[in-house]
């Protein structure tokens, strides 16, 4: 989005009507998010920019394309204010094909999972892909990588020095997802990133669930501008009274809209212009079944927000919060012509979408063929770790026979793991998994060829009676995670991922039951959303057939390496006590015996 003097000259002339518009949208109702009005108005577009709204007859020339949009409502392209598109397992191209027809034309993202697996080289490749897609990505440089405490292994470490370089890039619009703990702990790299951003006048994006009182004040003094994670509407109100822009998250995993919107519908309607929306993590199935940002707008309207206010939340409010409102967020002269057309403000069904002044989607489908780019070896790289054997997943102890008292990480929700003490049998120096008692083995293997780390621990809640499942998509590090009742099946599962360049797999009795290939960085695919959704449901069915009754067995597993959420996690450096922020020994005691 670099600007040249010549391009400016052309645009100014087009704005003055000296050179004719390329396109005119005629007969529609303009949803003016700046003035909070809806009225009949035509829109003149010159190449990729809006140049006039209202009566635009004088902007027409002999070559101007006139598009009749009678009866439709024209609103700015919808903005997802905080998203890890990688979580959908869709590449940027596949993601764009799924969400642009839903009206989402911009996302704010750290692309942090691409960075964790392929560094800045892979990131540059993704930037090129973004430029060829109709979806805009306003990139924030991750405050640091890895996010974990203690530090785990990723392909690339984001440091203060890296920030000094990348914050000068034209693609960089701020610092991504600065978590409160890193500020509170005065982490050197984090503070370096924030100081650099303040000196470069870039906004700092936050992530501070449950930050209140003095902790919130300290966090705000670091210069954080906005937050996307509040657990109730009172937390939203407190953060907003203290100056933050607030994004309400409605993801596939956590549903906060209904509760958090009460800050506006019940407490103070004047807060509305500083509230916006994000989806953070969404699955392909959810996009296909519910939509994307269009669905969030519909939900807000259902929760009692005026349609035009909900549209502001999904457009201009995000644009202002992220300081990108000179480019997107409104249909006004000088802005990029990202325009969504809906049939009615209440029903809010997207009929057509323009990005950069071109019609790209109609009737919920892309109106042209968009192909994924060829991938370099940086992104299609094989998993760089050695083939495993069953012994890698056998927990060896010094006693030959007897029992072991073990701390098992017991899953209580997609992100929550609690302590569960169990007694397991020891046979031939190996602690045995216990499927009758719901105790499985879990391991994380470093896969970037950096150190060959491998951890091993115990988990509960998945209830597999046999077999194993593994994934190379596992935020935030995206090392390989494998879980199972049987060391031999665990080894087969991991080896299958290594041989196939990454993905998700379910194994039982030595056989591959289901496999979803994720060849781009081992985390995403160029397949269409429909195909990813179909294969994901086959994986879930296979895990269910082995005894697991969790709503999404693989997702519950691949969140295990996130150390930011209490009480327990596992990374390549070992099982982690997320409160003490240290690794721990899962063997509590050994009892020799028969
Ligand atoms: Fe996030």
């Amino acid at each position: 989005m670099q600007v040249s003097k010549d391009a400016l000259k052309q645009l100014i002339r087009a704005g003055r009507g000296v050179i004719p518009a390329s396109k005119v949208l005629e007969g529609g109702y303009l949803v003016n998010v700046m003035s909070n009005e809806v009225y009949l108005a035509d829109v003149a577009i010159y190449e990729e920019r809006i140049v006039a709204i209202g009566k635009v007859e004088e902007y027409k020339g002999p070559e101007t394309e006139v598009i009749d949009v009678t009866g439709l409502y024209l609103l700015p392209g919808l903005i997802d204010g905080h998203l890890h598109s990688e979580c959908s397992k869709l590449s940027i191209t596949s993601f764009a094909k799924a969400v642009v027809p839903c009206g989402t034309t911009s996302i704010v993202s750290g692309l942090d999972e691409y960075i964790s697996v392929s560094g800045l080289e892979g990131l540059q490749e993704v930037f090129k892909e973004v430029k060829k897609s109709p979806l805009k990505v306003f990139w924030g440089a991750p405050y640091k990588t890895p996010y974990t405490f203690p530090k785990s292994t990723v392909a690339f470490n984001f440091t203060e020095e890296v920030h000094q370089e990348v914050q000068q890039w034209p693609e960089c619009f701020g610092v991504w997802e600065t978590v409160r703990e890193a500020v509170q702990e005065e982490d050197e790299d984090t503070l370096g990133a924030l100081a650099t951003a303040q000196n470069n006048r870039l906004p700092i994006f936050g992530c501070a669930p449950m930050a209140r009182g003095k902790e919130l004040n300290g966090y705000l003094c670091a210069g954080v501008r906005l937050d996307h994670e509040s657990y109730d509407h009172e937390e939203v109100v407190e953060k907003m009274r203290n100056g933050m822009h607030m994004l309400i998250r409605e993801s596939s995993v956590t549903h906060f809209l209904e509760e958090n919107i009460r800050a506006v519908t019940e407490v103070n309607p004047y807060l509305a212009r500083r509230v916006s929306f994000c989806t953070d993590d969404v699955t392909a199935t959810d996009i296909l079944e519910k939509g994307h940002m269009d669905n969030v707008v519909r939900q807000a309207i259902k929760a009692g927000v005026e349609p035009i206010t909900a549209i502001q939340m999904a457009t201009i409010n995000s644009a202002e919060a992220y300081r990108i409102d000179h480019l997107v967020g409104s249909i006004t002269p000088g802005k990029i012509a990202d325009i969504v057309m809906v049939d009615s403000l209440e029903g809010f069904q997207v009929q057509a979408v323009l990005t950069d002044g071109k019609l790209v989607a109609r009737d919920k489908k892309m109106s042209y063929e968009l192909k994924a780019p060829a991938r370099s070896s940086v992104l299609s790289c094989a998993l760089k770790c050695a083939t495993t054997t069953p012994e890698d997943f056998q927990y060896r102890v010094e006693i030959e026979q007897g029992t072991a008292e073990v701390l098992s990480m017991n899953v209580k929700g997609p992100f929550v793991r609690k302590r569960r003490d169990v007694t397991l049998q020891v046979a031939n120096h190996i602690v045995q998994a216990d499927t009758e008692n719901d105790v499985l083995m879990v391991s994380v293997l470093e896969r970037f060829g950096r150190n060959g780390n491998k951890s091993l621990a115990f988990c509960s809640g998945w209830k597999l009676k046999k077999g194993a499942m593994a994934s190379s998509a596992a935020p935030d590090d995206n090392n390989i995670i494998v879980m199972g009742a049987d060391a031999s099946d665990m080894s087969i599962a991991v080896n299958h991922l290594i041989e196939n360049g990454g993905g998700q797999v379910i194994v039982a009795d030595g056989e591959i039951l289901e496999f979803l290939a994720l060849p781009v960085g081992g985390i995403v695919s160029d397949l269409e959303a429909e195909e990813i959704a179909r294969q994901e449901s086959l994986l879930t069915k296979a895990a269910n057939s082995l005894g697991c009754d969790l709503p999404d067995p693989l997702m519950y597993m691949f969140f295990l390496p996130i150390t930011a959420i209490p009480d327990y996690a596992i990374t390549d450096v070992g099982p982690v006590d997320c409160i003490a922020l240290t690794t721990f020994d899962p063997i509590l005691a050994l009892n020799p015996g028969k």
Side-chain angles (χ1 to χ4, degrees):
M1 293 173 206
Q2 293 292 76
V3 181
S4 74
K5 252 199 306 194
D6 280 343
L8 264 186
K9 268 185 208 166
Q10 290 296 99
L11 192 56
I12 292 165
R13 288 173 194 169
R16 295 177 61 224
V18 176
I19 47 177
S22 334
K23 252 186 209 91
V24 163
L25 308 179
E26 213 167 65
Y29 297 99
L30 176 71
V31 179
N32 193 321
V33 293
M34 306 305 282
S35 63
N36 205 24
E37 295 169 295
V38 181
Y39 52 91
L40 269 174
D42 300 336
V43 178
I45 295 165
Y46 176 73
E47 294 186 342
E48 78 281 3
R49 299 271 177 159
I50 296 154
V51 290
I53 53 174
K55 292 190 180 9
V56 302
E57 207 52 38
E58 291 174 25
Y59 287 79
K60 287 187 195 166
E63 305 289 310
T64 305
E65 182 190 0
V66 177
I67 303 175
D68 181 8
V69 293
T70 303
L72 294 176
Y73 291 80
L74 311 184
L75 45 120
L78 306 178
I79 303 170
D80 189 332
H82 180 101
L83 175 74
H84 307 260
S85 64
E86 304 93 315
C87 270
S88 66
K89 303 192 190 80
L90 301 169
S91 65
I92 284 289
T93 305
S94 297
F95 192 78
K97 285 197 262 192
V99 302
V100 170
C102 302
T104 307
T105 56
S106 294
I107 64 172
V108 179
S109 180
L111 300 171
D112 46 338
E113 292 181 38
Y114 288 108
I115 297 169
S116 78
V117 300
S118 63
L120 298 186
E121 228 182 314
L123 178 65
Q124 287 293 347
E125 198 172 322
V126 176
F127 282 158
K128 283 187 194 146
E129 184 181 1
V130 167
K131 282 187 187 121
K132 289 196 173 132
S133 93
L135 185 70
K136 289 177 185 66
V137 178
F138 292 95
W139 179 67
Y143 72 100
K144 68 173 215 168
T145 58
Y147 297 150
T148 45
F149 292 100
K151 205 173 190 168
S152 54
T153 311
V154 284
F156 181 80
N157 294 98
F158 232 96
T159 60
E160 178 179 352
E161 290 68 39
V162 175
H163 271 276
Q164 281 161 359
E165 182 197 333
V166 303
Q167 287 190 22
Q168 304 300 325
W169 291 358
E171 292 90 352
C172 185
F173 286 85
V175 176
W176 172 254
E177 199 157 26
T178 312
V179 307
R180 173 167 62 114
E181 289 74 14
V183 172
Q184 202 172 293
E185 298 297 314
E186 300 178 16
D187 174 75
E188 287 294 322
D189 274 324
T190 304
L191 298 191
L194 303 192
T196 307
Q198 292 205 27
N199 294 333
N200 288 330
R201 295 179 217 144
L202 284 173
I204 297 164
F205 321 157
C207 176
M210 293 177 273
R212 311 289 290 259
K214 281 194 275 189
E215 291 309 337
L216 175 61
N217 293 340
Y219 185 63
L220 290 171
C221 287
V224 180
R225 183 173 169 85
L226 52 93
D227 187 21
H228 71 285
E229 199 153 333
S230 292
Y231 279 66
D232 61 43
H233 75 281
E234 286 169 359
E235 188 182 333
V236 171
V237 171
E238 181 178 345
K239 285 173 175 169
M240 295 194 75
R241 282 181 179 149
N242 284 287
M244 291 189 110
H245 288 262
M246 195 54 52
L247 285 98
I248 293 178
R249 175 171 73 184
E250 184 68 9
S251 80
S252 290
V253 191
T254 46
H255 304 278
F256 283 137
L257 190 141
E258 203 181 342
E259 164 57 28
N260 287 355
I261 203 74
R262 293 172 65 201
V264 175
T265 54
E266 292 178 21
V267 180
N268 184 353
Y270 293 102
L271 295 176
R273 273 290 271 121
R274 287 167 65 86
V275 170
S276 38
F277 298 131
C278 70
T279 64
D280 211 344
D281 302 315
V282 279
T283 62
T285 304
D286 263 8
I287 296 169
L288 295 171
E289 283 177 4
K290 301 177 190 164
H292 188 235
M293 292 306 292
D294 57 332
N295 173 52
V296 180
V297 172
R298 284 192 292 272
Q299 285 200 44
I301 294 169
K302 202 171 142 208
V305 180
E306 286 291 321
I308 190 162
T309 308
I311 292 166
Q312 286 173 319
M313 289 174 173
T315 58
I316 188 64
N317 295 6
S318 254
E320 287 177 352
Y322 286 100
R323 296 188 190 145
I324 52 175
D325 53 315
H326 58 301
L327 297 169
V328 294
S330 67
I331 299 181
T332 51
K335 310 303 185 299
I336 296 169
D338 288 354
I339 297 173
V340 173
M341 302 178 208
V342 297
D343 57 346
S344 77
L345 294 187
E346 288 73 23
F348 208 78
Q349 294 299 321
V350 175
Q351 306 295 310
V353 181
L354 257 69
T355 62
D356 299 307
K358 291 182 211 69
L359 183 74
V360 291
R362 180 175 264 167
D363 300 328
K364 306 260 164 84
K365 285 195 171 59
M366 292 295 292
S367 45
Y368 70 103
E369 199 184 349
L370 177 64
K371 282 201 173 133
R375 306 291 177 181
S376 78
S377 60
V378 178
L379 274 177
S380 60
C381 55
L383 275 57
K384 298 184 185 78
C385 54
T387 305
T388 63
T389 63
E391 288 72 38
D392 288 315
F393 306 104
Q394 292 172 343
Y395 204 110
R396 294 188 72 80
V397 289
E398 61 260 34
I399 60 169
E400 191 181 348
Q401 306 291 333
T403 59
E405 308 296 326
V406 165
L407 191 161
S408 177
M409 298 179 282
N410 192 16
V411 74
K412 289 289 179 193
F415 298 107
V416 182
R417 278 83 56 166
K418 296 286 176 192
R419 176 174 178 157
R420 179 177 174 225
D421 289 0
V422 291
T423 303
L424 300 177
Q425 295 299 313
V426 177
N428 299 323
H429 292 285
I430 296 162
V431 182
Q432 307 291 310
D434 183 354
T435 53
E436 289 306 302
N437 207 15
D438 183 24
V439 187
L440 304 174
M441 306 305 301
V442 60
S443 172
V444 174
L445 298 93
E446 186 273 324
R447 58 109 154 170
F448 307 110
R450 295 188 85 178
N451 54 34
N453 278 350
K454 181 181 71 64
S455 60
L456 191 57
F458 304 86
C459 63
S460 297
W462 278 267
K463 299 183 190 157
L464 294 183
K465 293 292 176 204
K466 61 178 182 175
M469 48 193 197
S471 176
S472 60
D476 296 311
D477 301 344
N478 294 294
N479 281 309
I480 298 174
I481 183 160
V482 57
M483 172 183 293
D486 181 275
S488 156
D489 283 342
M490 288 172 79
S491 175
I492 291 169
V494 170
N495 293 346
H496 192 76
L497 296 187
I498 295 169
E499 282 156 23
N500 289 279
Q504 299 191 318
V505 66
I506 312 264
V507 177
D509 302 322
E511 300 289 330
I512 307 295
L513 300 187
E514 293 295 343
F515 170 58
L516 164 62
L518 298 173
V520 184
I523 53 173
V524 297
S525 162
D526 286 321
L527 291 175
E528 307 257 329
E530 287 79 1
E531 184 55 22
I532 293 290
R534 191 186 71 82
Q535 293 197 30
E536 279 185 330
S537 90
L538 291 177
L539 284 165
T540 300
K541 278 188 193 134
N544 294 154
S545 75
L546 299 178
C548 181
D549 59 3
L550 292 172
D552 192 335
L554 279 147
M555 192 179 70
Y556 276 60
M557 177 183 77
F558 77 44
F559 283 141
L560 265 169
I562 297 178
T563 60
I565 304 156
D567 295 345
Y568 297 100
I570 182 166
T571 70
D572 66 302
V573 298
V576 176
D577 177 331
C578 305
I579 295 168
L581 300 176
T582 56
T583 52
F584 69 91
D585 183 351
I587 305 293
L588 304 170
L590 292 171
N591 312 307
K594 282 191 179 175

